Amino acid sequence: MTTKQDTSADVAPYTEPSGFQEIHERLTDLGVTKVAVYAALGVFLVWSLFPVYWMVTATLKTRDTLLSFPPQWIPLDAQFGNYAQLFAQRPEFVTFITNSVIVTVVTTIIATTVGAMAAYAFVSFDYPYNLDFHLPFYILSTRFMPPIVTIIPLFVIFRGVGLVNTLRGLILVYTMFNIPFAVWMMKGFFEEVPESLVESAMIDGHTHLGAFFKIVLPLVKPGLIASAIFTTIITWNELLFAVILAQSAKAITVPVGLASFVTKFSVQWINMSVAATIALVPVLLFAFIARQQLVRGFSMGAVGK
Amino acid sequence: MVTVEYDSVKKAYGETIAIEDIDLTVDDGEFAILLGPSGCGKTTTLRCLAGLTDPTSGTITLDGHDVTDIHPKNRNIAMVFQNFALYPHMSVRENIGYPLKVADVSAEERQQRVEEVAEMLEIPELLDRDIANLSGGQQQRVALGRAIIRRPAVFLMDEPLANLDAKLKVSMRSRIKVLQREMDITTLYVTHDQEEAMSLGDKLIIMDQGNIQQIGSPDTVYHQPANQFVAGFIGSPSMNFIEVSRDGERITAQNAPDAFDVSLSTDVADRYRDHDEFTLGVRPQYFTVHTSEAANAIEATVEVTEPQGDEQIIEVEIGEQPISLTLVAPSTVDANRGETVWLTLEDELVHGFDNTTGDRIGEADSVARTGQATSTTGSQT
Amino acid sequence: MATDTEQDVATPEIGQFQQQESTRETVLLWVDDNLKWLMTLPAILILFSLTFYPLIRALQFSTLTYLPTGTTFVGIENYVDLLSDGAFINSMIVTAKFVGIAVAAEFVLGFAIALVLNKKIKFRGLWQTLILIPMILSPTVIGLIWRLMYAPNGLLDYMAAPFTGGANVGWISETSIALYSVILTDIWQWTPLVVLVLFAGLQSVPDDISEAAIMDGASRRQRFLHITLPYLKSLIVLILIIRLVDALRVFAKVFILTRGGPSDATNVISMEMYRTAFRFNNFGEASAMAVTLLVLVLILAMNFVKIANVEFGS
């Protein structure tokens, strides 16, 4: 049974926008929305970046101009000498940097390798007793644990074996810290490599391990780099473990050194700013190199997880 | 040069049995095909020979040497995978030459052999290209090149043509056949496409549900199928199966006794002397279609006709149930939907299958079966 | 097929069916056979000895009075003491405030910004890279940056001048404001993360679904509530969990800005534990705190997982 549509004039083919919609449409037509969006973006960016700019420019000021009213937005009389002054007044800062470099590089190498191997194993092999699920789960769950919980017993254990105040101890702890990240990052990459490639390599004459190094790893290079950079940044920045496990100058890392500029009594503003600026340069550098990976990593591959 | 032997090979994953009772021999230079539907175990069987899967029990020997526990890299076999498994970060040249690189062959010799192989497969102009820029057919040939460059003892192929389009499939098929002939390498090839198997193989090994159903030449498995599964799997369109009861020389369809009531010739009927009931198997080509009533014929109604050029495929229905049959008839036969036709059997060419075991009923000397063809209870595929 | 190339079909190297008898080969093959364990062993060993084992020891220490003078077994006394420990209870409250306010603010702000940016504007690669900066800086450095801005007569005092008449606001010395000043630094650092994640999520809502809703006559508000939001649900839960767990760990910012003061106003749990263990050298009590915190985090995590599973069966 078909009834013809009542096409009499009182049913308009479209509805006029009203109220908020109408205002919005008018504004959009005028291009106002676009401007508003760009303005909002601008505000957000300034808000996020200005504090960094402030600290960096602080390194070029004097004590007086630093905390002046009104503040000096652009350092006119740049005091580059402040940088030399830091190393003159606090020469041990060089040691801090060396320590951080050593710890970061070694940790990154070990954590990335160990993490990648474990990730590959979980992806490629079958484990009995449902370990396939449990092992990666436990490894990844350590990420959710507040580090302060393990730090106290770790300190006691390390003290017992003489690992306190050593770079070795720090490397050990940081490796532990970073392995879950490495596993988590590499897992996805390894899942993309078809098993038949490895099988083909074995038939062509490789052992499985050989195939892993010669065929699989080159294919996941971007993942390895991203993982390494993540690890580098995390390790370089870390404070809690360092401040507890390494108190003597032999093993103090940059973050701990930075903290020492802020004592209960006074703050050495200029030196502190210089040191902090030096500390953040490598991080910014690495972040720039890996910016695409970082953005993707932080967005957690939200598109198609 | 190399004979392949499987002896009582079995592979189980926990409780599930993937393959068992695998006994087969591939002779030197023979092109053997593992054929069967998805999940029948043919790929598992192949991979056991490659060393990529470890058998649960049984042995595999190459020319008398037991290789069951030997690492794939030491077996001197080459394999072509369904998805080609080409190394994406290498050029064509590097891909083809890779096995030689791993074996520490000198760069000059590698270069020379790669070019030889490329010539043979007619892809010399592709040598410096990247894998990603190749078509399916080209990738296929690169994969073949990588496999043959080492002069392997055995050639394994796992559904290599499955990812190619129809036309390419046919041309690559003949290429592979000629290549195997020329190189005379023992080959084991997996496919689910029975047409492909029939055109390529010297010896077909038909599998279903983890067991070998029959081993034989294309001719043998077509004309003398060991059981109902093989009979129904080989040949296109597939064989028709009708459950019949026998009374002397008369056979009647159990589900359409009035429409289907024919007499077999004496010697044919004699084959089934021990069976009062069995399943009759008739290939679509072995019916003769009459548009007017004929003697000793089956009365059927035409459902669909599919013209195929010189021939046509006719689907008919018989009786109340009804029973559906597929026939192949010359296109000159004028049969239309709804019309009645009469079918006579070329009864020398029919087969009978035991209702319980599914095995083919026939004289002992006309049944060519090899080893253990364990039968499944006549499952109508 | 080029049949003229005389393919030298040499007899295959039969010897190759047998393994080469060399120790190198034997070792390599043994490694290959056990690869599935060998490859995971280093990770498991390291993690076990440096994460699970210390946890067990922490449990052990929590049952002791562990002072520089010596150790005595006291059972659950430490835990009982915690219940009446004013500083501890205060630190739990402070932490709860910190986490609650910071994460809520980051989420709301971040979501709003992501929505605004979800139009077809240019420079996406640029701004995504730029907002990485707060996220990748060391919290120590961030603490220092804001310490500078919070300094008496510093930048923020200047910006607040219209309201305060030029007087110094004790951003980190005033007990009533100190916590919020610290929270602000966390918001500054992590709002970009929420923006990035939710932006990616918004971008991934398929166009055709939104368009279908438009054709169906849905208003923008309806589209947001009925189409966009459900689509983003799992992502929202995920980012909330991540931020909550991370916010619980805050240490460096507090350490640099206020050391837990003034008068314990910013004494978050990790600060309190640090103090108890390394200032007062009371490992027993600190371990009890650690175990308590761990249990709380586990309960939180499990509940979230439960909610997540119920909602999306992920």
Side-chain angles (χ1 to χ4, degrees):
Chain A
M1 185 179 84
T2 45
T3 31
K4 283 202 83 173
Q5 253 322 27
D6 178 7
T7 48
S8 49
D10 47 11
V11 179
Y14 64 90
T15 35
E16 297 272 1
S18 62
F20 178 69
Q21 277 231 33
E22 186 184 7
I23 300 176
H24 185 263
E25 271 195 33
R26 291 262 183 82
L27 287 179
T28 318
D29 288 335
L30 288 175
V32 168
T33 337
K34 265 237 165 120
V35 171
V37 170
Y38 279 114
L41 178 62
V43 169
F44 182 52
L45 283 178
V46 168
W47 149 260
S48 291
L49 297 176
F50 186 78
V52 183
Y53 167 82
W54 185 247
M55 157 147 292
V56 173
T57 53
T59 62
L60 302 174
K61 299 179 182 168
T62 64
R63 283 231 58 180
D64 305 311
T65 53
L66 187 57
L67 296 170
S68 61
F69 239 63
Q72 195 184 51
W73 301 107
I74 302 177
L76 298 162
D77 189 14
Q79 306 277 332
F80 288 104
N82 283 333
Y83 282 85
Q85 186 189 16
L86 169 69
F87 290 104
Q89 292 184 351
R90 301 286 299 272
E92 63 271 22
F93 202 69
V94 181
T95 323
F96 299 168
I97 297 182
T98 345
N99 287 344
S100 269
V101 170
I102 296 176
V103 169
T104 305
V105 169
V106 177
T107 302
T108 303
I109 295 176
I110 301 181
T112 310
T113 315
V114 171
M117 285 205 302
Y120 177 74
F122 291 133
V123 168
S124 314
F125 298 117
D126 284 318
Y127 289 86
Y129 313 116
N130 221 8
L131 278 179
D132 250 331
F133 171 74
H134 287 132
L135 279 180
F137 181 74
Y138 290 133
I139 291 186
L140 294 177
S141 69
T142 54
R143 192 193 175 254
F144 288 99
M145 192 173 46
I148 187 73
V149 168
T150 47
I151 194 66
I152 294 163
L154 262 180
F155 176 76
V156 176
I157 296 171
F158 273 25
R159 198 171 52 180
V161 291
L163 277 178
V164 183
N165 280 332
T166 60
L167 291 184
R168 292 190 319 272
L170 282 180
I171 290 175
L172 213 53
V173 167
Y174 286 147
T175 308
M176 172 271 284
F177 207 59
N178 282 299
I179 286 179
F181 279 111
V183 171
W184 180 54
M185 285 211 75
M186 294 310 302
K187 206 153 177 266
F189 283 94
F190 284 127
E191 280 165 359
E192 301 267 302
V193 178
E195 237 177 61
S196 52
L197 273 186
V198 176
E199 290 173 347
S200 183
M202 288 205 287
I203 287 184
D204 281 346
H206 278 306
T207 55
H208 197 157
L209 194 63
F212 173 69
F213 281 112
K214 289 277 169 57
I215 304 291
V216 181
L217 282 188
L219 286 175
V220 294
K221 224 189 325 182
L224 286 174
I225 294 179
S227 185
I229 290 187
F230 251 82
T231 305
T232 302
I233 294 180
I234 292 173
T235 312
W236 179 270
N237 285 347
E238 209 282 332
L239 178 72
L240 178 60
F241 284 101
V243 91
I244 291 176
L245 292 177
Q247 277 297 343
S248 82
K250 292 185 297 161
I252 289 187
T253 56
V254 167
V256 179
L258 288 177
S260 70
F261 284 109
V262 184
T263 65
K264 226 185 282 209
F265 309 107
S266 67
V267 182
Q268 307 168 36
W269 296 111
I270 304 289
N271 279 345
M272 168 202 106
S273 305
V274 173
T277 305
I278 294 178
L280 61 81
V281 165
V283 174
L284 285 184
L285 201 65
F286 277 118
F288 181 75
I289 294 175
R291 59 194 183 283
Q292 273 181 339
Q293 302 283 7
L294 282 175
V295 169
R296 211 182 320 149
F298 275 122
S299 312
M300 283 178 297
V303 186
K305 185 174 184 271
Chain B
M1 274 76 50
V2 181
T3 324
V4 175
E5 241 179 74
Y6 284 71
D7 189 0
S8 303
V9 172
K10 169 178 168 175
K11 175 68 187 174
Y13 293 98
E15 295 286 308
T16 334
I17 297 180
I19 54 175
E20 66 177 341
D21 289 332
I22 305 296
D23 292 284
L24 67 94
T25 311
V26 183
D27 295 312
D28 176 29
E30 202 174 23
F31 197 139
I33 312 240
L34 289 163
L35 172 67
S38 302
C40 68
K42 52 195 193 292
T43 303
T44 310
T45 308
L46 189 81
R47 289 170 60 95
C48 284
L49 178 55
L52 297 173
T53 303
D54 287 319
T56 311
S57 62
T59 47
I60 299 180
T61 42
L62 287 177
D63 248 18
H65 300 267
D66 184 350
V67 296
T68 323
D69 292 319
I70 295 188
H71 195 285
K73 76 181 181 78
N74 289 329
R75 291 195 191 196
N76 198 19
I77 45 154
M79 185 155 165
V80 178
F81 292 81
Q82 184 175 344
N83 64 358
F84 315 136
L86 296 176
Y87 306 122
H89 53 301
M90 300 186 200
S91 66
V92 169
R93 184 188 296 273
E94 289 166 335
N95 260 276
I96 296 181
Y98 197 68
L100 298 183
K101 181 157 189 243
V102 176
D104 277 327
V105 171
S106 72
E108 305 94 60
E109 191 183 337
R110 264 203 331 257
Q111 167 98 316
Q112 188 203 347
R113 281 167 70 167
V114 167
E115 293 187 357
E116 261 175 34
V117 166
E119 281 288 332
M120 207 160 71
L121 294 167
E122 291 171 12
I123 48 170
E125 70 280 5
L126 298 177
L127 277 176
D128 291 303
R129 291 249 223 117
D130 266 325
I131 301 296
N133 299 333
L134 300 179
S135 70
Q138 290 168 330
Q139 287 187 0
Q140 177 63 277
R141 278 181 277 172
V142 175
L144 273 174
R146 183 177 62 183
I148 66 183
I149 198 167
R150 323 156 35 190
R151 305 173 199 141
V154 183
F155 224 170
L156 300 180
M157 300 200 235
D158 187 1
E159 310 219 39
L161 304 181
N163 289 347
L164 303 179
D165 60 60
K167 243 188 175 176
L168 207 48
K169 252 195 244 232
V170 176
S171 65
M172 282 305 298
R173 209 194 278 171
S174 40
R175 214 183 260 275
I176 290 180
K177 187 160 186 174
V178 172
L179 191 63
Q180 194 269 343
R181 279 273 176 277
E182 279 193 358
M183 302 193 66
D184 206 22
I185 298 185
T186 313
T187 305
L188 200 52
Y189 183 108
V190 164
T191 182
H192 62 274
D193 182 340
Q194 53 100 27
E195 203 184 298
E196 198 171 288
M198 297 282 279
S199 53
L200 280 177
D202 294 328
K203 168 190 278 179
L204 267 54
I205 302 152
I206 302 169
M207 294 182 67
D208 186 36
Q209 296 181 3
N211 292 80
I212 296 181
Q213 300 297 319
Q214 182 170 7
I215 303 180
S217 68
D219 201 63
T220 313
V221 302
Y222 187 86
H223 292 290
Q224 292 165 343
N227 58 35
Q228 198 167 332
F229 172 80
V230 176
F233 192 80
I234 303 282
S236 180
S238 24
M239 188 184 282
N240 297 288
F241 295 109
I242 312 121
E243 284 172 30
V244 300
S245 316
R246 183 186 68 86
D247 180 15
E249 291 176 2
R250 248 173 91 216
I251 51 171
T252 44
Q254 283 174 359
N255 292 325
D258 303 311
F260 192 130
D261 183 349
V262 294
S263 292
L264 299 172
S265 54
T266 323
D267 32 311
V268 173
D270 193 47
R271 285 189 216 156
Y272 309 112
R273 57 184 176 272
D274 295 323
H275 294 81
D276 286 333
E277 289 179 355
F278 59 93
T279 303
L280 185 71
V282 189
R283 292 205 182 274
Q285 300 85 347
Y286 300 155
F287 285 102
T288 315
V289 181
H290 309 268
T291 41
S292 52
E293 183 153 2
N296 204 23
I298 305 157
E299 188 178 329
T301 321
V302 176
E303 286 298 303
V304 189
T305 61
E306 295 168 37
Q308 306 265 304
D310 289 323
E311 292 179 328
Q312 57 179 322
I313 298 179
I314 308 177
E315 307 260 339
V316 300
E317 282 183 358
I318 298 179
E320 298 280 298
Q321 276 273 348
I323 304 177
S324 295
L325 295 180
T326 310
L327 325 167
V328 170
S331 49
T332 45
V333 171
D334 181 23
N336 301 297
R337 178 174 158 79
E339 289 176 2
T340 314
V341 291
W342 285 264
L343 316 170
T344 49
L345 300 171
E346 297 182 44
D347 57 353
E348 288 293 322
L349 300 174
V350 308
H351 299 289
F353 299 95
D354 186 294
N355 280 339
T356 337
T357 61
D359 289 344
R360 187 169 69 96
I361 306 164
E363 277 117 45
D365 55 1
S366 75
V367 174
R369 286 155 66 168
T370 329
Q372 286 84 4
T374 38
S375 39
T376 51
T377 49
S379 44
Q380 304 268 350
T381 325
Chain C
M1 209 57 167
T3 47
D4 45 359
T5 342
E6 251 305 309
Q7 173 69 343
D8 177 13
V9 187
T11 46
E13 297 79 41
I14 304 251
Q16 262 197 286
F17 295 153
Q18 287 148 348
Q19 294 159 213
Q20 293 130 324
E21 295 301 323
S22 75
T23 22
R24 181 164 179 269
E25 182 77 10
T26 330
V27 170
L28 282 180
L29 288 178
W30 179 86
V31 167
D32 244 43
D33 275 334
N34 296 305
L35 211 53
K36 68 151 85 142
W37 301 113
L38 289 176
M39 284 186 99
T40 48
L41 221 52
I44 308 239
L45 272 179
I46 294 182
L47 283 178
F48 187 80
S49 56
L50 294 174
T51 309
F52 293 115
Y53 174 62
L55 282 181
I56 300 174
R57 295 300 298 270
L59 202 58
Q60 179 200 4
F61 294 156
S62 69
T63 61
L64 311 170
T65 304
Y66 195 141
L67 296 167
T69 47
T71 66
T72 12
F73 180 79
V74 288
I76 60 167
E77 198 179 296
N78 282 326
Y79 291 98
V80 174
D81 284 343
L82 280 183
L83 293 176
S84 51
D85 182 352
F88 177 68
I89 297 183
N90 173 60
S91 70
M92 299 282 273
I93 297 177
V94 169
T95 311
K97 271 199 210 165
F98 178 87
V99 172
I101 300 177
V103 176
E106 286 158 19
F107 178 71
V108 170
L109 275 176
F111 204 171
I113 298 175
L115 281 172
V116 168
L117 293 178
N118 189 30
K119 312 274 190 237
K120 292 185 185 12
I121 56 169
K122 296 189 280 186
F123 308 127
R124 174 163 23 135
L126 181 63
W127 68 256
Q128 279 182 330
T129 306
L130 287 176
I131 64 171
L132 279 181
I133 294 178
M135 294 193 275
I136 51 139
L137 287 181
S138 163
T140 315
V141 169
I142 293 179
L144 291 177
I145 289 178
W146 284 85
R147 185 85 192 237
L148 182 62
M149 298 205 297
Y150 283 146
N153 260 9
L155 186 66
L156 277 157
D157 275 343
Y158 175 74
M159 305 198 77
F163 306 101
T164 58
N168 285 342
V169 179
W171 301 98
I172 48 177
S173 50
E174 210 39 63
T175 44
S176 46
I177 330 180
L179 183 60
Y180 298 98
S181 304
V182 176
I183 290 177
L184 185 61
T185 64
D186 199 73
I187 295 177
W188 179 82
Q189 181 177 22
W190 291 113
T191 305
L193 178 65
V194 182
V195 172
L196 266 187
V197 171
L198 291 180
F199 177 78
L202 286 170
Q203 292 274 303
S204 76
V205 175
D207 280 332
D208 42 9
I209 297 187
S210 312
E211 285 167 2
I214 295 178
M215 296 303 287
D216 281 345
S219 71
R220 309 186 72 231
R221 198 176 130 268
Q222 286 170 323
R223 263 186 288 140
F224 179 73
L225 284 178
H226 300 147
I227 309 287
T228 318
L229 224 46
Y231 209 82
L232 290 181
K233 245 202 213 157
S234 49
L235 210 53
I236 292 178
V237 170
L238 199 57
I239 188 72
L240 281 177
I241 294 182
I242 291 192
R243 277 311 308 145
L244 278 167
V245 169
D246 273 349
L248 273 173
R249 304 193 210 180
V250 63
F251 178 78
K253 295 190 185 82
V254 173
F255 192 77
I256 298 288
L257 284 170
T258 61
R259 284 291 159 102
S263 318
D264 285 0
T266 60
N267 194 28
V268 289
I269 189 86
S270 46
M271 204 60 221
E272 171 67 14
M273 286 205 269
Y274 172 78
R275 218 194 267 171
T276 312
F278 299 103
R279 199 89 68 69
F280 305 142
N281 288 314
N282 189 344
F283 287 107
E285 210 177 292
S287 298
M289 289 186 205
V291 174
T292 312
L293 179 62
L294 182 62
V295 170
L296 284 174
V297 171
L298 279 177
I299 294 178
L300 201 70
M302 283 198 297
N303 276 325
F304 256 108
V305 171
K306 228 186 285 178
I307 296 176
N309 279 342
V310 165
E311 290 272 331
F312 334 104
S314 63

